[in-house]
Amino acid sequence: MTSTATSAPHSAFTDPSDPRLCELEQWLARSGRIQNPVGLVPASADASFRRYFRVFDGENGPSYIVMDAPPQKEDTGPFVQISQQLDAIGLKVPRVLDADRERGFLLLSDLGNTTFLSAVTPDNADTLYRSALQTLVRFQAQGQALSQTLPPYDDALLDREMDLFSDWLLGEHLQRPLDGRDHQAWQKVKQTLAMSALAQPQVAVHRDYHSRNLMIGAALPDAPGVLDFQDAVRGPLTYDAVSLLRDCYVRWPLEAVHDWRRFYFLALVASGLQQRTDWDGFVRAFDLMGMQRHLKASGIFARLWHRDGKDGYLPDVPNTLQYLYEAAALYPDLPGMPWLLDLLENRVLPDCASLQEVG
């Protein structure tokens, strides 16, 4: 970071009205880690304030990723620390090659541009998902020391996440804020789901372990690359597995999901993280964890549109809500579930369908 380099990357996206990008280019040139930076171009979209660019060392040289994380919005510290710890336990993650935390710039190794979502087919899905689940168990089993350094996925955080559903999907997107008669039932739903989450074994949780954050390619022959781990916490065992198997962005046949869930359960048993005799409890915890996840995700998708002007996630709302409805229907006797099922069936799902048709 202290060495000098005078060449700046050539970029079709350089724009005087984008001072962050100009500053990033200048930092990259000064760092000297890339001798001849060429072609700074957008590498991926992100639901946060972070941006990612791909840059090459020479016209035909290796590629790298540059992260732009505005320091007033994002803290690069967790990414740097967690990347080092995941690399140490053998996970394939972007390595931090250079960093300027004060400005919010990171230079990273490049895991390619082929995500699970872009490459998975019915023919390769079983291989890919079993590999992803084995990687997840490794993360959980060997990440015990890491988990002790992470913030807790506690009752307050679980509750705030579920309120994204009531505040943003119901109140803002559908213009159906909860009234006085709904609040008591809503609190029961949240308490039921939070209690289940907190009762699970607590491990390192990625929080976005799904098809858009897992990478495959020639450089990743044995296990997927893992992205977007900077928001990791210490929390419920099943959270990441349900994020993967009931992915907001893709849906698989129920039989396949059940097979993968059983495969994951047996891998947990082999690792010592799960008791073989607790299959029924594991399934229930998995289902209820998915409900918490999908309440949160549907609210985030609505917030991304109404607050941040990002409408690309709205098409994923119906699938996310359908997961939520299907899981709630399995547990109609739990506190708050009859109310939630009625809310989804008679108000939320029809309203969302109408908005999709209008869109």
Side-chain angles (χ1 to χ4, degrees):
M1 195 171 163
T2 58
S3 59
T4 58
T6 57
S7 61
H10 307 296
S11 171
F13 293 85
T14 301
D15 183 346
S17 67
D18 189 346
R20 284 288 301 176
L21 183 55
C22 295
E23 187 178 359
L24 185 152
E25 289 181 315
Q26 293 167 6
W27 170 76
L28 187 62
R30 290 194 304 269
S31 78
R33 294 301 299 264
I34 301 177
Q35 297 304 310
N36 182 29
V38 174
L40 190 67
V41 295
S44 68
D46 197 275
S48 71
F49 295 100
R50 294 179 294 271
R51 297 188 295 179
Y52 297 88
F53 299 90
R54 180 169 280 110
V55 64
F56 294 85
D57 193 353
E59 293 289 347
N60 299 308
S63 63
Y64 302 86
I65 298 296
V66 188
M67 179 196 295
D68 169 23
Q72 69 275 19
K73 300 286 189 180
E74 302 282 348
D75 179 9
T76 58
F79 185 99
V80 173
Q81 296 166 11
I82 296 170
S83 172
Q84 293 171 344
Q85 292 172 292
L86 295 184
D87 183 54
I89 64 174
L91 266 66
K92 297 179 179 179
V93 297
R95 292 178 175 176
V96 179
L97 307 176
D98 204 349
D100 187 332
R101 289 189 58 185
E102 183 177 343
R103 292 183 176 86
F105 299 142
L106 299 180
L107 179 65
L108 310 171
S109 60
D110 189 359
L111 298 186
N113 56 11
T114 305
T115 66
F116 263 45
L117 186 61
S118 66
V120 70
T121 68
D123 292 332
N124 66 15
D126 190 62
T127 298
L128 291 180
Y129 275 80
R130 287 173 185 261
S131 176
L133 291 167
Q134 288 172 325
T135 296
L136 175 58
V137 173
R138 183 171 191 171
F139 169 58
Q140 294 172 327
Q142 298 186 27
Q144 292 298 308
L146 166 63
S147 72
Q148 299 302 318
T149 70
L150 299 174
Y153 213 159
D154 57 16
D155 185 72
L157 180 54
L158 290 162
D159 190 73
R160 287 198 303 272
E161 289 184 342
M162 287 184 280
D163 278 339
L164 294 167
F165 172 83
S166 56
D167 293 346
W168 287 96
L169 187 81
L170 297 183
E172 186 69 29
H173 190 59
L174 300 181
Q175 294 295 300
R176 281 187 177 272
L178 298 178
D179 60 29
R181 296 170 299 175
D182 294 321
H183 278 292
Q184 185 175 5
W186 175 230
Q187 292 302 318
K188 288 181 179 178
V189 170
K190 293 195 295 178
Q191 289 167 5
T192 298
L193 299 181
M195 287 175 61
S196 175
L198 295 171
Q200 295 183 43
Q202 302 292 289
V203 296
V205 177
H206 180 289
R207 287 181 80 193
D208 270 314
Y209 197 81
H210 55 64
S211 61
R212 287 184 171 176
N213 287 331
L214 296 174
M215 310 299 292
I216 61 173
L220 301 164
D222 303 319
V226 181
L227 306 180
D228 205 23
F229 42 74
Q230 62 278 334
D231 295 322
V233 293
R234 176 175 172 80
L237 178 68
T238 64
Y239 188 93
D240 286 335
V242 82
S243 299
L244 178 68
L245 300 184
R246 292 183 181 158
D247 191 334
C248 298
Y249 310 116
V250 62
R251 176 180 284 260
W252 294 102
L254 195 60
E255 182 180 357
V257 172
H258 286 175
D259 285 346
W260 293 330
R261 182 171 63 182
R262 183 69 179 178
F263 174 82
Y264 172 62
F265 173 81
L266 293 175
L268 289 174
V269 171
S271 73
L273 291 174
Q274 176 68 51
Q275 295 295 318
R276 182 181 293 271
T277 56
D278 194 30
W279 168 249
D280 291 341
F282 171 82
V283 169
R284 174 185 164 117
F286 181 95
D287 290 338
L288 298 186
M289 192 75 258
M291 292 182 64
Q292 192 276 344
R293 162 85 180 170
H294 294 123
L295 287 168
K296 163 191 171 179
S298 61
I300 287 176
F301 295 158
R303 186 177 68 181
L304 284 167
W305 165 232
H306 293 282
R307 188 190 71 180
D308 304 329
K310 299 179 180 181
D311 65 355
Y313 296 87
L314 291 180
D316 301 305
V317 170
N319 183 46
T320 304
L321 292 174
Q322 189 62 35
Y323 281 133
L324 178 62
Y325 178 78
E326 290 166 0
L330 297 174
Y331 303 94
D333 297 330
L334 290 180
M337 292 302 157
W339 170 84
L340 182 61
L341 284 166
D342 177 73
L343 176 77
L344 292 169
E345 186 171 356
N346 295 311
R347 289 184 274 175
V348 175
L349 290 172
D351 285 0
C352 282
S354 297
L355 286 176
Q356 292 288 117
E357 290 173 3
V358 171

